[in-house]
Amino acid sequence: MDRLNGSPHLMIVSDLDHTMVDHHDQENLSLLRFNALWEASYRHNSLLVFSTGRSPTLYKQLRKEKPMLTPDITIMSVGTEITYGESMVPDDGWEQFLNHKWDRNIVREETSKFPQLTLQSETEQRPHKVSFYIQKDKAQEVIKVLSERLEKRGVSNAQEELLQWHAQNAKGNPNIIHATERCAAGIIQAIGHFKLGPSIPPRDVADFSECKQENANPGHEVVKFYLFYERWRRAEVDNSQQYMQNMKAFCYAAGILVHPSGVERSLHDCIDAMTKIYGDKQGKQFRVWVDRVSSAQIGSDAWMVKFDKWELSDEGRHCCLTTLLLNTKAREGGCVWVHLHQTWLAGSGPKDQTTWLF
């Protein structure tokens, strides 16, 4: 990936439904915990890959429903479509590889002989995938007979090398665990089990003063800031003036925030405004997360950080593209926010922009 200068420190490849995404977790807390961990500790040097049976249409629909991060690579339609980055650039080489010995007409011809199969919607019929519904009690028999017929005509299911790998490596392998936590929480558990890197999500840290980094980590600073902002508005921290003084210590005295509306405002004024909205989201739906955090050192003590800042509330989901200038030497033990510039992601600005502070 062009985003990284060298080999990734870690690559996580995860299914979505009931793996990364827990559809029984109405608060999406396990997913938000993973998001915070990834953006704080891994985004800058690792790769995130989503691998799903969903078509591009259903994948994009899920992204609108759940607070999912943007992966570096997206594998969809049961492995038949691979795209890269936010713009989802397709892998043409993979498409050409799949074209070898693929004959859609043969698949349609053989499957038409089974009345138990019902074609799924048109969006789920992809260039290298034909999808059906079938009743659970009839699936085993149809799969067996259909697989034999397709094999005789030259199209099979899993690639042989994948089946061989599973047979040789999966059973009794200490490098494979069955997580006891659900979904994204299980992925966090695996990171800790295999000692792949930090495994305590910032969302699990009650006191951020205990969450210090030895080296400058802009991603960690951004995640901490917005988690406190969420907790302040949900009244999950004490209404303390000391907290506000600490917040001001994070901001350059002459620092400026350029609001998504275009209005310029002092960072210290924005913090003063926070004191007036303490607990305004208490008991309500309100979550904040950041996505696509990237940083570049532009001077001995200066960093330019870019990220998407999201808010989920009863009014809907809203996002702004954010650029932040940090100084890593202006304050002992942390970074100082010097300049913050935000613009609305197309079509994602709230009707009432007055409560959007950071």
Side-chain angles (χ1 to χ4, degrees):
M1 295 290 295
D2 294 339
R3 185 176 65 76
L4 302 180
N5 294 324
S7 299
H9 163 75
L10 173 68
M11 181 168 70
I12 288 185
V13 183
S14 174
D15 186 22
L16 293 180
D17 297 289
H18 306 292
T19 305
M20 180 63 75
V21 177
D22 187 349
H23 291 282
H24 299 290
D25 180 6
Q26 297 302 314
E27 289 287 319
N28 300 304
L29 287 180
S30 64
L31 185 56
L32 289 167
R33 289 175 63 233
F34 175 84
N35 291 357
L37 177 62
W38 188 260
E39 296 298 332
S41 302
Y42 293 99
R43 174 70 80 174
H44 66 288
N45 65 0
S46 300
L47 293 178
L48 181 61
V49 182
F50 289 161
S51 180
T52 176
R54 288 177 176 245
S55 66
T57 299
L58 291 185
Y59 166 69
K60 292 174 183 177
Q61 177 180 320
L62 183 64
R63 284 183 60 86
K64 293 178 180 178
E65 298 170 354
K66 296 290 183 178
M68 295 164 53
L69 295 181
T70 301
D72 297 285
I73 303 172
T74 311
I75 304 172
M76 297 165 289
S77 302
V78 204
T80 63
E81 297 182 68
I82 301 176
T83 64
Y84 300 94
E86 167 74 11
S87 55
M88 299 181 68
V89 178
D91 188 326
D92 296 331
W94 180 243
E95 183 178 345
Q96 293 173 14
F97 177 81
L98 291 181
N99 283 335
H100 180 63
K101 287 191 175 181
W102 167 254
D103 191 327
R104 188 183 186 85
N105 292 330
I106 289 178
V107 175
R108 291 299 301 269
E109 180 184 334
E110 291 297 334
T111 53
S112 67
K113 300 173 184 177
F114 294 84
Q116 304 95 320
L117 296 175
T118 303
L119 275 171
Q120 294 182 5
S121 65
E122 191 60 35
T123 62
E124 302 313 292
Q125 310 308 323
R126 307 298 296 171
H128 296 94
K129 178 174 78 78
V130 185
S131 294
F132 302 87
Y133 293 114
I134 187 172
Q135 293 183 11
K136 191 173 183 179
D137 60 342
K138 299 178 180 177
Q140 199 78 11
E141 178 186 355
V142 171
I143 289 173
K144 180 179 182 299
V145 178
L146 179 58
S147 296
E148 292 172 352
R149 291 188 179 184
L150 290 174
E151 187 173 358
K152 289 179 180 178
R153 301 197 64 174
V155 177
S156 56
N157 189 20
Q159 296 184 29
E160 185 60 32
E161 56 265 33
L162 181 59
L163 295 174
Q164 290 177 358
W165 184 93
H166 183 272
Q168 295 169 4
N169 298 279
K171 295 182 179 179
N173 189 330
N175 292 321
I176 298 176
I177 69 163
H178 183 179
T180 56
E181 298 289 338
R182 285 181 58 85
C183 300
I187 297 173
I188 296 171
Q189 181 184 1
I191 291 174
H193 175 85
F194 293 116
K195 296 180 172 57
L196 302 175
S199 60
I200 300 178
R203 277 191 175 271
D204 294 353
V205 178
D207 185 356
F208 289 137
S209 65
E210 302 174 359
C211 200
K212 295 180 179 179
Q213 299 282 306
E214 294 182 5
N215 301 313
N217 184 340
H220 190 265
E221 292 290 332
V222 166
V223 169
K224 275 198 313 181
F225 185 94
Y226 282 110
L227 279 178
F228 177 81
Y229 176 75
E230 176 192 292
R231 292 172 182 177
W232 178 264
R233 297 189 66 177
R234 288 173 60 91
E236 293 176 348
V237 295
D238 293 335
N239 187 357
S240 166
Q241 282 299 316
Q242 185 60 49
Y243 279 137
M244 292 297 97
Q245 292 303 315
N246 291 341
M247 288 284 282
K248 284 188 175 180
F250 275 94
C251 297
Y252 183 54
I256 294 293
L257 178 146
V258 181
H259 190 273
S261 65
V263 175
E264 291 190 6
R265 195 174 187 183
S266 160
L267 285 172
H268 279 203
D269 286 347
C270 292
I271 293 172
D272 289 337
M274 275 184 63
T275 64
K276 301 175 183 178
I277 58 172
Y278 174 82
D280 68 325
K281 300 296 184 181
Q282 186 175 19
K284 301 178 181 179
Q285 178 177 232
F286 183 71
R287 295 294 178 186
V288 179
W289 70 96
V290 295
D291 183 22
R292 297 199 304 154
V293 177
S294 65
S295 59
Q297 191 166 5
I298 58 175
S300 59
D301 305 326
W303 289 78
M304 186 72 74
V305 190
K306 295 184 178 182
F307 55 93
D308 299 340
K309 183 252 178 165
W310 286 90
E311 284 189 9
L312 171 65
S313 67
D314 294 329
E315 289 75 41
R317 285 164 46 125
H318 308 293
C319 177
C320 64
L321 312 180
T322 306
T323 301
L324 168 66
L325 178 62
L326 287 178
N327 185 299
T328 57
K329 295 295 183 181
R331 182 176 66 87
E332 184 178 353
C335 300
V336 168
W337 293 38
V338 178
H339 189 89
L340 190 68
H341 190 285
Q342 298 181 320
T343 57
W344 294 123
L345 183 67
S348 66
K351 293 181 180 179
D352 179 9
Q353 300 185 13
T354 59
T355 59
W356 186 279
L357 289 183
F358 287 100

